[in-house]
Amino acid sequence: MTTQPIATTIRVRHRPAPPPRPVASTPKWLTAVMKCDKALSFWFVPAGFLFAPLLLILDPWPVARTVTLVAISLCGLWLGVLGVFMAVGLAHVLRSGDVLPDEYWYRLLDYHPPRGMK
């Protein structure tokens, strides 16, 4: 009875290669910042509608109300910081004279345009 060597039975997962930068002047971190901004904005806008009723519910407990105010303030501050980083990254691309292609925005926004638009 023969057994297979251990090395042949172990499966190694390879990470997919990161997508190439759309233009050479695009900072490496710009796509990550824009994805984080999109995700936080997706959460932050609906949470704003629930914030006022939540504060009314938590009004009898000052500590809970303070924790809620701090949490929403920190999220808003982080959203502002992401916006500044986005502005800096996009200004860097525009300053170099490049333009981000439409495919970059489609991929970032998970938008699939109709076939005639490409």
Side-chain angles (χ1 to χ4, degrees):
M1 182 170 162
T2 60
T3 60
Q4 290 183 339
I6 294 175
T8 60
T9 59
I10 297 175
R11 292 186 182 161
V12 178
R13 283 196 234 170
H14 296 284
R15 280 191 202 173
R21 292 190 289 173
V23 290
S25 64
T26 305
K28 293 179 182 180
W29 47 266
L30 181 60
T31 301
V33 166
M34 293 179 86
K35 285 183 180 181
C36 289
D37 184 70
K38 176 184 148 191
L40 185 59
S41 296
F42 179 76
W43 173 85
F44 193 75
V45 171
F49 290 109
L50 301 174
F51 186 58
L54 181 65
L55 283 178
L56 287 174
I57 293 168
L58 296 176
D59 193 39
W61 302 283
V63 174
R65 189 178 65 237
T66 303
V67 168
T68 306
L69 284 170
V70 167
I72 200 78
S73 299
L74 288 176
C75 287
L77 178 66
W78 182 242
L79 199 55
V81 168
L82 287 174
V84 169
F85 281 132
M86 268 194 324
V88 168
L90 292 172
H92 185 270
V93 172
L94 292 176
R95 207 172 343 146
S96 68
D98 289 332
V99 176
L100 294 174
D102 290 339
E103 291 79 23
Y104 175 77
W105 297 106
Y106 294 152
R107 188 176 63 218
L108 182 71
L109 299 173
D110 296 328
Y111 174 72
H112 304 289
R115 292 186 189 265
M117 288 184 64
K118 287 186 178 181

